[in-house]
Amino acid sequence: MMRLSLVVPCYNEVEVIERFHDAVGHELADIGRPYEIVYVDDGSTDGTLDALVRLADADPTVRYLSFSRNFGKESAMLAGLRYASGDAVVIMDADLQHPPELIGRMLKLYERGFDQVIARRNRVGDPATRTLFARAYYWLINKWADVELMDGVGDFRLLSRRAVDGLLELGEYNRFSKGLFAWIGFESILFEYDNVKQPERKSRWTFRRLVEYGLDGLLSFNNRPLRLAIYVGLLLTAVAAAYAVWVIAVAVLRGVEMPGYVTLIAAITGLGGLQMVMLGVIGEYIGRIYYETKKRPHYLLKQTNLNPADRPATTDDRGRTVP
């Protein structure tokens, strides 16, 4: 019989983790398939690990991994996928914004032969400005990126075993899962669900984090910003050449006049700012290369209830075993 794995990244979820586990447990019991729940504690500081240990003591289907510090959600998802043993794997958040009752629907679509069953939330209840900026971002990034990213699509999805194995072959350090899910391809199907708001919990997605996440998506799957620097440089060179011809023509026809200091200062300031932006773009790419060449592991485990025999034998491109 097909075995199901749930991968649940957790960071400071002590207030909600037991409610989440009860809700998921009731849903999976109704489905009637063998399953495991792989919780990944991403270096929580609020007692989440203690709560996971209690859940594991009371429920034999619970597996947990705990990081030595906070490595980020991308690393938590990667760890969960590496240790998940199911034929199908569902990734979902622990804050109940991903409705557990959709798992059954995902399984039915998986049984029809789809390797990725993607749940896309609508934006009902979101502020109008956030919706506008999100749609503008996805329009822009899909003009630039090498893969198509869909508005409202996140990590909540079911993956077949071969889709999971495909993701695990992608060993880059700087991971942007939305792009990786799209990059591996395979047969996919998408359905929408109503946005779930948790009024008692403040969102961790601040404006700064959203901007940084957007930049990750923009830079992770294309080199067009670097190519744009070439085009902008050629354009400015052409403008400078035309301006030089115009200055020479005016000097020949009217004589030399008092130079335009305002124009000169504005040009120097504008070009200097543009050069700094281009250097910043180049620096982002170089920084990513820098981290990739270090070959550091994506995470370090501090505690787990998994047996040593369950540890995946994953190797990097140098043949070294990595966690």
Side-chain angles (χ1 to χ4, degrees):
M1 182 180 290
M2 187 273 291
R3 177 178 169 85
L4 177 67
S5 293
L6 262 64
V7 171
V8 187
C10 306
Y11 179 67
N12 290 346
E13 304 287 1
V14 69
E15 295 178 0
V16 72
I17 192 65
E18 292 186 2
R19 280 193 292 140
F20 169 84
H21 186 74
D22 290 341
V24 167
H26 285 122
E27 181 65 27
L28 294 175
D30 291 339
I31 292 173
R33 298 289 183 90
Y35 68 89
E36 65 174 359
I37 307 176
V38 182
Y39 291 102
V40 185
D41 171 39
D42 187 19
S44 299
T45 58
D46 67 342
T48 297
L49 176 58
D50 294 334
L52 294 180
V53 172
R54 290 194 298 270
L55 290 175
D57 290 339
D59 187 346
T61 66
V62 172
R63 313 283 186 266
Y64 70 86
L65 309 166
S66 181
F67 291 171
S68 61
R69 64 169 177 83
N70 179 245
F71 284 89
K73 186 179 180 181
E74 296 287 348
S75 295
M77 287 193 294
L78 176 63
L81 291 175
R82 281 178 174 169
Y83 283 86
S85 60
D87 303 299
V89 180
V90 174
I91 304 173
M92 59 192 309
D93 292 343
D95 58 6
L96 291 174
Q97 293 196 41
H98 294 163
E101 58 268 21
L102 296 180
I103 297 174
R105 183 176 179 182
M106 289 179 165
L107 282 173
K108 291 179 180 178
L109 293 171
Y110 163 76
E111 290 171 349
R112 288 168 50 185
F114 292 100
D115 291 286
Q116 292 200 61
V117 181
I118 307 164
R120 178 170 68 181
R121 70 178 182 89
N122 57 37
R123 294 193 175 274
V124 175
D126 280 358
T129 52
R130 181 168 180 172
T131 299
L132 179 63
F133 280 121
R135 289 176 177 171
Y137 166 74
Y138 281 103
W139 177 85
L140 174 64
I141 198 172
N142 284 321
K143 293 290 184 182
W144 286 56
D146 298 330
V147 295
E148 182 181 1
L149 304 181
M150 291 177 285
D151 185 10
V153 169
D155 308 316
F156 187 28
R157 64 186 64 213
L158 180 148
L159 301 167
S160 69
R161 172 47 54 184
R162 66 174 180 173
V164 171
D165 292 341
L167 284 170
L168 295 179
E169 289 185 26
L170 307 178
E172 57 251 49
Y173 185 82
N174 298 284
R175 301 183 70 84
F176 182 70
S177 288
K178 278 188 178 183
L180 297 178
F181 291 139
W183 189 90
I184 62 172
F186 295 116
E187 290 76 11
S188 303
I189 190 171
L190 180 146
F191 67 88
E192 287 196 355
Y193 68 96
D194 291 333
N195 189 20
V196 179
K197 304 294 287 185
Q198 298 290 334
E200 72 277 8
R201 291 172 62 84
K202 183 178 179 181
S203 174
R204 298 191 183 105
W205 287 99
T206 62
F207 179 76
R208 177 180 176 182
R209 288 194 65 190
L210 286 171
V211 170
E212 291 176 349
Y213 187 74
L215 288 175
D216 281 341
L218 183 63
L219 300 178
S220 294
F221 283 89
N222 73 95
N223 64 350
R224 292 182 184 177
L226 295 175
R227 194 165 296 171
L228 178 64
I230 298 174
Y231 294 141
V232 172
L234 292 174
L235 176 62
L236 291 177
T237 301
V239 171
Y243 182 70
V245 171
W246 180 78
V247 169
I248 293 172
V250 170
V252 170
L253 295 176
R254 301 181 182 178
V256 178
E257 298 179 355
M258 183 66 68
Y261 290 109
V262 175
T263 303
L264 181 62
I265 295 299
I268 292 174
T269 304
L271 290 175
L274 182 62
Q275 288 175 339
M276 292 301 296
V277 170
M278 295 305 178
L279 284 174
V281 171
I282 295 171
E284 281 289 332
Y285 281 101
I286 293 175
R288 290 165 184 269
I289 296 171
Y290 171 73
Y291 281 109
E292 293 291 346
T293 56
K294 283 181 175 290
K295 300 296 182 183
R296 288 176 178 169
H298 295 86
Y299 55 86
L300 295 175
L301 290 180
K302 176 178 67 175
Q303 184 176 335
T304 180
N305 69 335
L306 290 167
N307 295 325
D310 297 327
R311 186 180 179 87
T314 305
T315 57
D316 60 18
D317 58 359
R318 296 183 183 179
R320 301 175 303 181
T321 300
V322 296

